[in-house]
Amino acid sequence: MRKTIVAAMLGAILLAAWMLRAATPVRVMILDGESAGAYHDWQHMTPVLKKMLDETGVFETTVVTAPPAGGDFTRFTPQFSGFQVVVMNYDAPDERWPAELKMSFEKYVSAGGGLVTVHGADNAFAGWPAFNEMIGVGGWRGRTETAGPYWYYRDGALVSDSTPGTAGSHGRRVPFQVAVRNASHPIMRGLPPVWMHQGDELYARLRGPGKNMTVLATAYSDPSNAGTGHDEPQLMVLTFGKGRIFHTTLGHDINGLSSVDFVTTFQRGTEWAATGTVTQKAPANFPTANAVAYRADLAAMDARYRNGLNGLDVAAPR
């Protein structure tokens, strides 16, 4: 009888702890403040990312904006430890952050803080070894073979390629298929094996250390659209010390962000980076292998939406 009572009490305590955890929102910092060019419109993209997170009821989101180029970084001391995950919608050169700030961020992630990098954030900090280990692969900002090999899928396996050359390329922003490479990962569980992503930049020729990196999904970089002819990594997870990282190359602009697959994987990836688990279900309107699906409410947050959803590139700027 006594054992039964003790077991019941223990069960009640565990249930109460689980309910408290479930009711406590995940604390998220969205970090923005700079991009290498106007083509990454972080000022308008951040509110879209915040809306995606806030609407789930899972997250409590705070936006932290870094000083611009030439600003005073001596007073920019974000308290990373107050958050479970940092979402980086930010792209700055190596010299922008002082050594103390870089060390603070390294300590945060290695101690178990989560990190999510969105699209152009993998262009940032090309010469910062720890950051490049966190993201696995990156592009532009002078990256060459010294940053690490190219990474892509060939014959169903992830391969590295040490061929010399610059890092980073893409073609015109058109819809493309995304293929799942790790269906058992919590972020990908329940998603179709192939789906169509709304018009976006398909990042290719990314290179880096690739350490502790698992590729979740790839996309074929079509040579007819300035592509490599390889299945290029698009969604990845990594570890850095005790920290978990979700890296998505998708989401060049609000048009790309509004794709339902971006929303789903971003929401799930942020939860996983913060907690190691995913509680969010895949939506019924997830895209199929041959049809895109997008959120009109998100797309309409771009002032250009009134001119039509697909105001895509004719040429292919970075």
Side-chain angles (χ1 to χ4, degrees):
M1 181 67 176
R2 183 176 180 182
K3 289 183 178 179
T4 302
I5 294 173
V6 171
M9 291 176 63
L10 180 59
I13 291 171
L14 292 173
L15 177 60
W18 179 86
M19 292 178 67
L20 178 62
R21 180 181 177 187
T24 303
V26 173
R27 300 181 308 280
V28 183
M29 174 196 293
I30 297 181
L31 177 62
D32 67 9
E34 186 173 352
S35 174
Y39 41 77
H40 288 153
D41 185 8
W42 58 268
Q43 293 96 332
H44 292 98
M45 291 170 65
T46 288
V48 180
L49 296 173
K50 187 176 189 302
K51 177 178 171 60
M52 290 180 196
L53 297 179
D54 290 346
E55 71 185 17
T56 66
V58 174
F59 307 102
E60 179 181 278
T61 311
T62 301
V63 176
V64 174
T65 299
D72 182 5
F73 276 81
T74 62
R75 297 186 180 183
F76 182 62
T77 56
Q79 300 305 302
F80 297 117
S81 61
F83 300 87
Q84 292 165 266
V85 58
V86 173
V87 172
M88 187 170 285
N89 181 30
Y90 182 69
D91 168 22
D94 289 315
E95 65 272 15
R96 191 72 72 239
W97 281 19
E100 295 80 5
L101 181 54
K102 290 181 178 179
M103 183 60 67
S104 173
F105 190 68
E106 287 181 31
K107 288 181 177 179
Y108 163 74
V109 178
S110 64
L115 172 63
V116 175
T117 60
V118 177
H119 191 67
D122 69 17
N123 299 182
F125 304 122
W128 180 5
F131 181 78
N132 285 284
E133 185 176 326
M134 292 177 202
I135 65 173
V137 290
W140 293 278
R141 287 202 181 275
R143 285 179 172 88
T144 65
E145 59 273 13
T146 60
Y150 297 116
W151 295 86
Y152 48 82
Y153 258 72
R154 184 171 60 201
D155 299 325
L158 182 65
V159 298
S160 60
D161 179 350
S162 298
T163 302
T166 57
S169 68
H170 63 77
R172 299 181 309 279
R173 289 177 291 156
V174 298
F176 54 84
Q177 284 188 329
V178 176
V180 173
R181 298 296 180 175
N182 189 320
S184 64
H185 193 278
I187 296 172
M188 310 303 288
R189 201 169 293 147
L191 303 185
V194 178
W195 70 77
M196 188 68 74
H197 178 64
Q198 171 60 28
D200 204 346
E201 291 179 345
L202 194 166
Y203 269 12
R205 294 187 178 90
L206 300 183
R207 58 191 321 156
K211 185 178 179 181
N212 299 320
M213 180 174 72
T214 299
V215 175
L216 301 183
T218 62
Y220 178 66
S221 180
D222 193 337
S224 69
N225 186 22
T228 62
H230 297 307
D231 293 312
E232 299 280 355
Q234 303 298 306
L235 304 177
M236 293 145 277
V237 290
L238 305 98
T239 57
F240 181 81
K242 296 179 181 179
R244 290 177 295 269
I245 298 97
F246 173 61
H247 176 173
T248 175
T249 65
L250 308 176
H252 169 76
D253 55 10
I254 294 176
N255 182 73
L257 296 182
S258 71
S259 195
V260 171
D261 58 296
F262 178 90
V263 178
T264 302
T265 53
F266 173 66
Q267 291 169 335
R268 286 176 155 205
T270 303
E271 184 179 12
W272 177 83
T275 69
T277 61
V278 173
T279 62
Q280 301 167 82
K281 306 299 182 184
N285 64 334
F286 199 86
T288 66
N290 299 306
V292 301
Y294 75 96
R295 290 267 303 272
D297 62 320
L298 298 178
M301 294 176 73
D302 187 336
R304 295 167 294 182
Y305 178 65
R306 63 180 178 270
N307 300 323
L309 178 65
N310 282 304
L312 304 181
D313 295 321
V314 175
R318 180 177 149 203

